[in-house]
Amino acid sequence: MPFEIFLALRHLRSRQKRRLARATSLIAVIGIAVGLAALISALALANGFRDEMRDKILRGTAHLTVMRSDGQAMADYKEVAARVASIPGVLSATGTTYDGAIIVGPRGSAYAVLRGIDGAAAHTKAEIAQSLIAGSLDHVFENGLDGNEIPAVVLGSELAARAGLEVGEVAEIIAASAGVSSPDRSGRRVRVAAVFRSGLFEYDSTWIYLPLETASTFSGSSHAASVISVQIANIYDVKSTAASVKQALGSDFTAADWQEANRPLFTALALERRIGVVIIALIIFIAALNITTTLILVVVERRRDIAILNALGATSKSIMSIFVIEGALVGAVGAATGVLLGTVAIVIANRYQLISLPADVYSISNVPLGLNVRDMALAALMAFVLSVIATVYPARAAARIRPAEMLRDTQ
């Protein structure tokens, strides 16, 4: 073992006349560990919130939305959807509509968004079925306008509670577009077939799923879709897929991807994440300064030993290495402890769902912490590097001690 490492370990293990230095070393380890654990938890919280928002948003909307450039409805939406579905990277393409409406129930009325679902949209129907908390989708997306049959709809849980509606009850829907453009401003009766909870407050408090034919009839444009909802294989390759779609359909159509539609939200989340990292990194830096204090105390206590080492032929570089190694060991122990504490905190928080939020403010009610090994490794590396940097001043001070003067003064 090189004598620099041997002496560094001996200094850290020594129990004679070093109570103050040992206390500051322990404080440095605890400070780095707690700061690093906080940084890892903050990164996990930011990642979890971002991923949860992204998944909730994409569960209810399309990865890519295709529409006419003039904003008109598409009577030939099935043909357009078939052309889009043939493009490489596209999983499915189906027609859909979005239309504002007012729903009137026993307890009151509320604003709603009518989302028309094509009967061929198997992926969308499967996602709706997974989020149901009451009722079922049996025959919901079949056209219920024949004869005197009342159309069936699926309501968000918050919307159903606000309007006082339960499964099996009848409500009245007044479509916004039909109310303005049509002389017939009377509402349409619908039956609540099921209630869903997606976990995203905006959807649960406003959305109504109903058959595409029913939704288009409500809006006054029978058998037409306002947009084509496209699901793609790689959501992060949506830009290139959108370019392929525009090239295939021509200038009569335009496309908006999920990143563009939600850019303000994800930009704000990224900014919040960066600010959090900077603030907690400052906390780790302050904790690393305790290493400087510890090593200064060691230098003061070991001045005679350092002078003897110089007299025996130890170079200034070797003296510096001893104290750099001491600080690196303290930083390594603190970083390892911080990673362990952070991992345990994340596991416990996810196990017991400790991060709960008001859904009407943050859109989601619970945030799972996203454990990212890459972020954890970078945070630990940053803590270790700061710990090594904190050793520079005391190590240089130790290397500049003159052995002759020190031994003369200590006689």
Side-chain angles (χ1 to χ4, degrees), residues 174-175 178-188:
I174 304 174
V180 173
S181 61
S182 174
D184 181 13
R185 297 175 183 266
S186 60
R188 306 292 184 95

Side-chain angles (χ1 to χ4, degrees), residues 267-280:
T267 300
L269 292 178
L271 177 62
E272 181 182 5
R273 184 177 187 270
R274 287 194 293 269
I275 292 175
V277 169
V278 171
I279 292 175
I280 300 178

